[in-house]
Amino acid sequence: MSISVFNRRWAAVLLETLTRHGVQHVCIAPGSRSTSLTLEAAANAKITCHTHFDERGLGHLALGIAKVTGQPVAVIVTSGTAVANLYPALIEASLTGERLVLLTADRPPELIDCGANQAIRQQGIFADHPTQSLSLPRPTPDISAAWLTSILDQALGEQKQGALHINCPFAEPLYGGDASAYADWSETLGDWWQSDKPWLLSDNQRRVRQQFDWLQWRQRRGVVIAARMGAEQGQQLAAWAKQLGWPLLGDVLSSSGQPLPCADLWLNNPKAQEILAQAEIVVQFGASLTGKRMLQWQASCCPKEYWLIDNISGRLDPANHRGRRLVADISEWLELHPAEAHPFWADELNILSARARTHVTNYLEHRFGEAQLACYLGELLPSQGLFWAGNSLIVRLIDALGQLPAGYPVYSNRGASGIDGLFSTAAGVQRAADKPMLAVLGDISALYDLNSLALMKQCTAPVVLVVVNNDGGSIFSLLPTPEAERERFYRMPHGINFEHAAAMFGLSYASPKSWQEVKQAVDAHWQQRGVLLLELQVAPHDGAETLRQLVNDVVNF
């Protein structure tokens, strides 16, 4: 029984060390091998525990919480395939920068590769996707508590983005024993237990520096690209670009208000391309652009200088422009690079984007479907709330046809752009923000993460989940997939509706047949509590065909 007690001591030091680096939330899946970690997380008053029965959804729940809090979030799972289910969330965090600390319980070394139950090779299981990996030894009093907290401090202190994987083997027994045993091992850390500082402090802070020639560049003609960023940053950037007199091309995830709306339509217009070609500098803030035409223009533009600012390291520019890759917090960078007032140099873009927006709203006014939803989405957003954008076709439609308010919080999983874990990440976002939330995603995405609707039952404010059901993966209707095989091997129609899914998880349900019914159902729900699953049943190809039609219309303006 002494082994189980020391396992708890070891886990207590581990969990307490995490709190010294900002970990306040721990997401826990059921498991026996992880008992020591789970019970010590629950016993630590500084930690809020979240649970889910599905490790894949659990990882995405943690990802959503990390998106809102900006702090590292820990995940505890048992050994075996439970660990592998964290892979999708880990990959997304590695691309979008949220910090996850994955605590994977493991069998001790003597049980690996010998046929023992639930024992797999967990060391290195995530390859090079974590920013760091740490394999702890089997807990033993022969190793000092100071060593354990020091090695954890070093790894956590260096974690600026992405996931840290800590593999934690525990030998049996896992339960029982004299709880007072091995107190002297823990007490060697002295008054560290009463403090709030790490045992080992590291200074790894990034320091943002002003570009030496910024005062010259702000006199020139520039273009701003606003990609994925926070709500406050989007609002700051929009004001900064406006003062400079530079056109801002805003992605749906930028929270910039998209001052030149429908850019993903009019960027194909020859006149727009002629105007934008006059830019001497392009400054991109954030990564992961959504729109196809935006990506094409970004790849083909040839300014004298191309700067990309994001707090995530890495090149982040698939077009490999010649210029500067500046790793910095966007707000700090803007403060160090003040704008100077200049008149807007591309007035014709204002006219073109306004014409495009007017054409889109008029065209879709009486055409019920996912394109109409995308166009008028701003009318559904809750006051003082947030928006969750799904992946695949719907986010492209919103990006091209909609216009969201400046400074409105928008969240998504657009790093790897997978359709897994969208309900669960949205649940984490809402839980951490504690605000009303509108979420929009497609039917295949919803089916893929259906059991995470269980997490939605715990939402703390009104939530509307809009599932756009076009009976399959209609994004493939936009791609040059072989027509003869498109339905069977790409779109894969399923013939399923979500009414019974809503009932199964105790959610309210609506299936409106017009925009007026959509608006009424959503507006009414903001005055209530709980979750409304609103299923938008639409024709399979309408969204893709409408987008194609509108791109063709605007290119000829």
Side-chain angles (χ1 to χ4, degrees):
M1 291 299 181
S2 61
I3 291 176
S4 64
V5 175
F6 189 76
N7 284 347
R8 288 283 300 271
R9 295 282 181 189
W10 182 274
V13 171
L14 194 162
L15 269 299
E16 181 62 29
T17 301
L18 294 190
T19 69
R20 310 300 173 88
H21 294 270
V23 174
Q24 298 176 329
H25 298 269
V26 177
C27 298
I28 303 171
S32 183
R33 190 62 54 166
S34 51
T35 287
S36 300
L37 295 169
T38 295
L39 296 182
E40 288 306 323
N44 193 309
K46 302 173 187 175
I47 290 172
T48 299
C49 294
H50 309 266
T51 61
H52 189 34
F53 49 77
D54 171 11
E55 286 88 359
R56 188 180 71 185
L58 185 80
H60 284 96
L61 177 72
L63 180 67
I65 295 171
K67 285 178 182 292
V68 174
T69 63
Q71 297 297 320
V73 176
V75 181
I76 294 174
V77 299
T78 193
S79 61
T81 57
V83 179
N85 279 289
L86 299 178
Y87 220 151
L90 183 158
I91 290 172
E92 182 69 17
S94 74
L95 294 171
T96 53
E98 292 82 15
R99 288 175 291 168
L100 301 181
V101 181
L102 308 182
L103 305 175
T104 58
D106 197 1
R107 261 54 178 174
E110 65 269 21
L111 294 183
I112 306 301
D113 289 330
C114 66
N117 183 50
Q118 204 172 319
I120 67 171
R121 292 188 295 276
Q122 292 181 192
Q123 294 186 31
I125 191 171
F126 299 124
D128 58 359
H129 287 288
T131 53
Q132 289 189 74
S133 295
L134 181 62
S135 292
L136 295 178
R138 180 165 105 171
T140 170
D142 295 334
I143 298 175
S144 71
W147 175 87
L148 178 58
T149 191
S150 294
I151 196 170
L152 292 168
D153 280 335
Q154 181 180 6
L156 290 158
E158 294 173 355
Q159 186 189 17
K160 301 305 176 188
Q161 64 186 60
L164 166 62
H165 175 211
I166 304 176
N167 200 55
C168 309
F170 292 103
E172 293 181 342
L174 302 170
Y175 307 94
D178 180 3
S180 64
Y182 297 106
D184 55 340
W185 182 84
S186 301
E187 289 168 0
T188 60
L189 296 177
D191 63 2
W192 175 83
W193 288 101
Q194 286 74 49
S195 76
D196 60 358
K197 299 291 189 297
W199 182 268
L200 181 66
L201 284 166
S202 302
D203 183 7
N204 294 307
Q205 297 299 313
R206 292 173 176 160
R207 290 171 177 82
V208 182
R209 297 178 180 177
Q210 186 185 61
Q211 296 301 294
F212 69 95
D213 52 354
W214 168 241
L215 298 183
Q216 288 76 46
W217 279 111
R218 71 181 184 179
Q219 308 290 331
R220 317 286 276 273
R221 289 185 170 185
V223 170
V224 175
I225 295 176
R228 183 185 62 234
M229 66 187 69
E232 185 177 348
Q233 294 172 332
Q235 205 163 16
Q236 292 170 341
L237 181 58
W240 184 82
K242 183 177 181 180
Q243 188 174 3
L244 282 169
W246 291 4
L248 185 151
L249 308 180
D251 188 273
V252 63
L253 306 181
S254 69
S255 296
S256 65
Q258 298 158 290
L260 294 170
C262 301
D264 203 52
L265 299 184
W266 56 257
L267 276 171
N268 255 11
N269 184 282
K271 183 60 178 178
Q273 295 177 355
E274 180 184 334
I275 295 167
L276 291 169
Q278 299 174 40
E280 297 172 271
I281 180 172
V282 173
V283 186
Q284 177 179 336
F285 294 86
S288 301
L289 292 165
T290 301
K292 181 179 179 180
R293 269 65 55 184
M294 179 81 89
L295 284 164
Q296 289 171 340
W297 180 82
Q298 188 264 358
S300 63
C301 71
C302 297
K304 293 179 181 177
E305 284 278 320
Y306 195 102
W307 297 2
L308 199 158
I309 298 98
D310 197 294
N311 65 340
I312 302 173
S313 60
R315 296 204 316 275
L316 304 185
D317 177 17
N320 300 303
H321 288 97
R322 181 178 181 177
R324 306 179 195 182
R325 173 66 185 94
L326 307 171
V327 179
D329 176 82
I330 292 172
S331 294
E332 291 181 30
W333 196 94
L334 291 173
E335 186 177 344
L336 280 175
H337 298 81
E340 184 177 74
H342 292 285
F344 191 72
W345 67 264
D347 284 326
E348 290 176 90
L349 292 184
N350 278 331
I351 298 169
L352 185 58
S353 65
R355 286 184 63 197
R357 177 66 177 160
T358 299
H359 178 71
V360 168
T361 55
N362 290 341
Y363 183 86
L364 293 172
E365 185 176 4
H366 302 295
R367 288 179 164 88
F368 180 66
E370 55 191 317
Q372 186 188 57
L373 172 74
C375 176
Y376 293 100
L377 185 74
E379 298 180 14
L380 302 180
L381 296 173
S383 176
Q384 303 298 311
L386 54 92
F387 174 57
W388 170 263
N391 279 331
S392 207
L393 179 59
I394 188 60
V395 71
R396 289 169 171 84
L397 290 172
I398 298 168
D399 182 68
L401 309 179
Q403 186 175 25
L404 305 183
Y408 199 88
V410 180
Y411 295 93
S412 72
N413 280 351
R414 291 292 295 171
S417 299
I419 64 167
D420 43 359
L422 299 189
F423 276 143
S424 42
T425 312
V429 165
Q430 193 288 320
R431 189 174 297 191
D434 192 22
K435 293 181 178 180
M437 179 179 71
L438 175 71
V440 181
L441 65 161
D443 49 343
I444 301 297
S445 301
L447 290 169
Y448 209 79
D449 198 27
L450 198 64
N451 61 7
S452 288
L453 286 176
L455 294 170
M456 288 294 175
K457 292 180 65 176
Q458 304 170 39
C459 286
T460 55
V463 172
V464 175
L465 303 176
V466 180
V467 176
V468 178
N469 188 350
N470 49 30
D471 195 26
S474 290
I475 184 64
F476 295 108
S477 301
L478 281 178
L479 303 174
T481 50
E483 189 171 353
E485 289 82 19
R486 183 174 297 150
E487 293 298 299
R488 181 182 179 192
F489 292 111
Y490 295 91
R491 277 203 354 96
M492 297 188 183
H494 49 74
I496 295 170
N497 68 58
F498 290 83
E499 182 174 7
H500 293 293
M504 177 180 178
F505 291 98
L507 311 182
S508 300
Y509 175 81
S511 181
K513 305 303 180 187
S514 69
W515 176 250
Q516 183 180 6
E517 290 182 16
V518 171
K519 189 81 165 57
Q520 288 173 345
V522 173
D523 287 348
H525 191 73
W526 298 139
Q527 312 306 317
Q528 305 171 22
R529 296 192 63 81
V531 179
L532 169 66
L533 193 158
L534 189 150
E535 182 175 9
L536 201 72
Q537 297 189 20
V538 299
H541 305 284
D542 274 4
E545 291 301 323
T546 299
L547 180 58
R548 187 179 288 112
Q549 177 64 50
L550 290 170
V551 169
N552 292 336
D553 290 349
V554 174
V555 77
N556 296 316
F557 274 9

